[in-house]
Amino acid sequence: MKFIKRHKAGLILTGILSLSAMTASAQMTLNDCLIYARDHAHANRINRIETEKASADKRITLSEVMPYIEYNMSGNMSFGRNIDPGTNTYDNKKTISSGFGIGMSLPLFDGLVTINNIHASEVARQRLGKTADIEQDKISLQVIASFYNVFYCRSLVEQMEENFQRDSLKLVSVEKEERVGTKSEADVAEIRALLASDEYELTNQRNLLDKAYLRLRSDMGMQPSEEPLELTEHELEHVGSAKELSGMAKERGFIHPEIEEAALALRESRYNLRAAKGAFSPKISFNAGISTSYYRMIGDNTVHPGFGRQWRDNMGQYLGLTFSLPLFTGLSDVNRLKKARLDVKERQEQLEQTKFRIEKESAEALLDYESALKECKAAEARLVAEQQAFRAVSRKFELGAASAIDYYTGSARLSVAKATLTGKRIQMIVNRITLGYYNGEKLIKEQDI
């Protein structure tokens, strides 16, 4: 009796603590968890930074078509034999001179290398953005699995609590019957063993529930030390049928993000190939500038023109075109071109591979969902049968027509049937969401923000 009272007190205390945790925490739906993971998961934050870096790379490439303007200034002091700036003859005077200039260089033609690099950088930016979306979807699918795993573990905890309470009452009843002689001491020992098994399973399932919460927090990017996390499961009610979901991708014109990413990678490689070909063409640039100079002799009594006059008199301007044609670059351009062609072929194969893999995964998602629907119905029928069988064996045990071992076996079979139904039900929901994802459904519903 002390054994029973101690565990009842523990269950009451646990219930009070659970109730206080629920009231102290905010209710979060699946969509709330997905939005939180989108904004806080470290992988998503890193991917957003990578996308911003790709935008910066594009701006860097764009700057190559803009003119390059620089201001330069020089100054020197000459000793010994050097050219006199005033007479343009050699002498041994000390001279201080300085020069000032502004120059501009504007590329006119480079074989369209820069243009193709700009296109490639823009496609690379789009591809990294699509990669970030793919990684976000993967994290969302992990959050969904962890979210429903919490409900699975919570359901098992509730089931173990019910079993413990039921078997506690059964132990009280058997002990009374043992005192009046209708039950043996072996029956009491078997029920106590069953109760101890219930206690172990309850403790184990509570630990698994704590781990499930920790895994969900980790997938969401939420610190373990934050306030208790309370979830609502109304999403479990919306299931749908396989016929409603099959063929949705073609009707919507949906293309899986991984296929889009592979297609963008192929486009990028083609632009890189064009840029590699352009490296063999001539390059033409326009140059212009303006410059002036100033000088002064040290230790010379000659009157030199002032700085303002020399600034005007020594002023010079220039305009020019530069033409260059690569003749031999150590075969680097040739090998770069060969590599670019191989890269295009590789990207083509990767695109076909991705299409094949996504098509296979979509078919598997449909089969998994259909199988989950059938298995869930079978599990429901099994649970009904096990409940009837357990009620019968429980009644027989009360009347003395069944042993405690029969009661123990019936209880275990009923527990397995309940756990199986819970698992199949949740697996059906996860498979439903996965199938919807492959058919173009958004994992995150923005209108719920």
Side-chain angles (χ1 to χ4, degrees), residues 133-357:
D133 293 340
I134 294 170
E135 293 301 319
Q136 178 179 299
D137 290 342
K138 291 180 179 179
I139 293 174
S140 295
L141 291 173
Q142 291 177 1
V143 170
I144 291 169
S146 300
F147 180 88
Y148 286 118
N149 186 46
V150 169
F151 288 112
Y152 176 70
C153 294
R154 182 188 294 178
S155 177
L156 292 184
V157 168
E158 294 173 354
Q159 177 183 329
M160 293 300 106
E161 290 176 347
E162 292 176 359
N163 291 349
F164 185 85
Q165 293 175 357
R166 181 199 65 202
D167 294 335
S168 297
L169 296 175
K170 180 63 68 175
L171 177 60
V172 173
S173 175
V174 171
E175 285 178 339
K176 290 181 180 179
E177 294 178 2
E178 189 266 341
R179 286 194 293 270
V180 299
T182 57
K183 295 293 182 185
S184 65
E185 185 178 351
D187 292 331
V188 175
E190 288 291 345
I191 298 301
R192 284 177 178 170
L194 176 59
L195 194 61
S197 176
D198 292 339
E199 180 188 14
Y200 168 78
E201 291 296 336
L202 178 58
T203 303
N204 182 52
Q205 290 302 328
R206 283 174 177 168
N207 292 332
L208 293 178
L209 178 59
D210 292 338
K211 290 182 179 180
Y213 273 114
L214 183 61
R215 175 63 183 272
L216 177 59
R217 288 177 180 272
S218 176
D219 292 340
M220 292 169 56
M222 182 181 291
Q223 294 296 331
S225 59
E226 294 184 8
E227 63 180 6
L229 185 64
E230 185 60 30
L231 309 175
T232 57
E233 55 175 338
H234 61 83
E235 288 93 346
L236 291 174
E237 300 175 358
H238 305 287
V239 178
S241 63
K243 294 182 179 180
E244 294 175 354
L245 299 172
S246 60
M248 289 172 55
K250 294 181 180 179
E251 294 177 1
R252 298 178 180 180
F254 171 73
I255 301 177
H256 195 276
E258 293 190 34
I259 297 178
E260 291 183 334
E261 190 275 337
L264 288 172
L266 177 59
R267 283 184 57 195
E268 181 185 359
S269 65
R270 287 172 175 169
Y271 281 122
N272 290 333
L273 176 59
R274 295 175 186 175
K277 291 178 179 179
F280 295 92
S281 66
K283 298 175 178 59
I284 303 174
S285 62
F286 171 73
N287 304 293
I290 183 172
S291 63
T292 187
S293 62
Y294 169 79
Y295 74 91
R296 181 178 181 83
M297 298 294 184
I298 299 177
D300 187 11
N301 295 326
T302 306
V303 178
H304 302 281
F307 180 83
R309 181 177 175 181
Q310 289 194 43
W311 180 273
R312 294 188 301 270
D313 293 346
N314 297 336
M315 186 73 68
Q317 302 87 23
Y318 70 91
L319 298 173
L321 289 175
T322 301
F323 176 88
S324 63
L325 179 65
L327 298 179
F328 182 74
T329 59
L331 300 180
S332 61
D333 289 339
V334 174
N335 290 304
R336 193 175 291 112
L337 178 60
K338 291 181 179 179
K339 182 180 178 181
R341 286 173 175 167
L342 292 174
D343 189 55
V344 170
K345 293 181 180 179
E346 181 183 13
R347 297 295 186 180
Q348 287 175 336
E349 293 298 328
Q350 289 177 348
L351 176 59
E352 295 301 321
Q353 181 187 34
T354 303
K355 289 180 179 179
F356 178 81
R357 178 173 55 82

